[in-house]
Amino acid sequence: MQKAAPLTKLILTVFVTIWAIMLQSIPALAILIAAQLLILILSKVSAGIYKGVASLFIFAFLLGGLQYVFSNDIILSVVTALKMTAMTLVFAILLATTRMQDLSAALVTQCRVPYEYAFMLTAALRFIPDLLTESKAIQEAQACRGFSPGGNPITRLTSFMAIIKPLVLKSVSRSETMALSLELRGFGSKKNRTFGSNVALEVRDYAMLALMTAITISLILVRF
Amino acid sequence: MELKKPDLEMTVYETKKGGQYRWVTITTLLLAIGAILHLISPSIAGVTPNWTIAMYCLAINLTKPTRGQAFGIGLVAAAINIPTSKAAFPYGNLVSEPVGALVCAIIVSLSLKMTIGNLNLKPAISTFLTTLVSGMIFVTILKVVMSLPLSVYLYGMIPFVFGVGVLNAAITQILYFPAQKLFNLQGGSHDSNNN
Amino acid sequence: MTAITIDQFSYAYKNNQKVLDNINAVIEEGSFTAVIGPSGAGKTTLCLAIAGAVPHYYGGSLSGNVLVNGMSVRDTTMPDLAQTVGTVLQDYETQLVTMTVEEEVAFSLENIGLDRGQIATCVKEALAKVGLTGFERKEVSALSGGQRQRLVIASVLAANPKILVLDEPTSALDPEGTESIYQLLSDLNKQYSITIVVVEHETAKILPYADQFILINGGKCLQSGYPAKVLTYMWKHKIYTEAIPPLWQLKLTLEDKTGFQFADWKNEDDAASELRKLIQKEASISA
């Protein structure tokens, strides 16, 4: 799956979502999920991905449970849980097998997303680990000053705000440096932006797209 | 003072030409913060604030982007949650967040003053309505797509959306004033609205 | 050839007091210049003026001019200037905006629309210059402070600038990290004849590498030239003396007390070898 173009995988997420909405039977949905798990295994994704997948299953189970409590319809609840799993699993495939820079190149050059937005996405992901470290440092500093999480909900929220406020303010001031550095590096210059990644579709991709279309058409024919 | 040539000969570059990407950088960092808060936030009486919405509302209140830009910000906000948290239903977010961000940008751009005394309540009001719109769209899509029973929708989800809305409004309002002060100090946005 | 000419340059940020007041200085091509002075002296603003961020980003008012490779910063846009001057801002962490090392270096090249082949070549060369070959696929967030600083330098070098301006590049680094960054800059200066301009308030750190000091205080350029000349000036006029490296405080004190003239020590080894020779000479005379 790593070899498929990012665009192909983006389209796959749309198709899988459509299939999951159309399918109503438990076996059919189970096949869809099994097929996706098989793809994950064949793509030899890292172990961390499976942790995310496990939490998807738990969430789907909870949603099904919630529905069962309200409707007492076990079949419907299982279908809901399976649909949920099928729809989210495909995103795990997309993200586990695609590098973010290739995805961003595909979004901009093939899906015509303006570059600013693709930039925001990848840059935000780049800063998440740094901000997480920073937030831990602030949390520890607060703990040293005798801050303790607990008490009633209102005090809990206020004490949590004591962590968020410095984080937000520091980011506001950093955003100035970042905006300056973007301009120094020619961000948003009028010329057409290029990308270092090659995301062009190949024969393999066209074959996959044809297969996906065929599956969708046959599903429509079966249902109506 | 000693006699010096007057400063009249200094060329004045009155308009600040730079900073045109400030809305991009501030949104980027705030959305990143929103994503990590998802991971470390406590819940308040069983309801967790939706940090993503609170953060893009803060960004929109600060930078006052155009409607098109706000729509894009909403798309990015939805997309960031796919790899970082376990977004339960990505395509639902990809519809609800852009609409929410658009609502927020429209309220922010209204010339209508929303104040009590000297207190500008626009951040809280825009965030509350944004959370409501975005949340309602999301749970409605979820209901339809998952064919959830009406009772789950009416008694489980809608009250939850209101609760999150109130929390979000409080958070954005509290963060807005110090953030805005700092933002204006650094030259602020291209148009400095005096609200 | 002069790389940068600062000609009667004054500048004030919007609605603010003058930060730079009638600065005159010349930076020769291929030199390694350190801008020194106490904090708030206007060092960063001077850097920003060379990069064109003053006045193009910050607005404000100015008189005089800064010429970079003959181009006036008044009439040249920031991205155009960036082809000649690479700038590393003080908060360099914030300059890193992509997920992986190779994307970071490619970023500015992609922005100006180079084709894929050229980008790959430039990225490879730039990473080699800073010693980060093999780190292409690494995530930026997994790098150490020193590696991040190298990456920022590589991302600026990718555009092949003739001049490199760095604002306090080592303020967040430990002593070893600092030394290795300055060694790197010194190598870039010698091997590729890139003109280097560094803002540094810790004069001792930069003394072994710089061939010119520009002393700024209160927005005025008090002295520029050989480090020895500037340090002696600071000593004689009691200006910002706390920044004179301990070694030089010793040298200048000894000169004052003994009437000897020592060589321009760049580090402790220089001092030790000269003093040793001197002692041997004294000993042979008295013997």
Side-chain angles (χ1 to χ4, degrees), chain A residues 31 36 53 67-69 75 86 88 120 133 137 146 149 151 159-160 165 168 172 180 199 205 224:
Chain A
I31 290 172
Q36 293 193 56
V53 170
Q67 192 170 19
Y68 182 70
V69 170
I75 306 273
T88 34
M120 280 197 237
T133 318
S159 43
F160 196 60
K165 215 170 113 181
V168 166
V172 169
L180 170 60
V199 292
D205 297 293
F224 302 104

Side-chain angles (χ1 to χ4, degrees), chain C residues 4 19 27 29 85 96 98 115 134 139 165 199 226 285:
Chain C
I4 301 166
V19 199
I27 294 171
E29 212 176 276
V85 192
L96 298 170
T98 68
D115 68 55
E139 285 199 9
V165 178
V199 166
Y226 293 119
I285 289 169

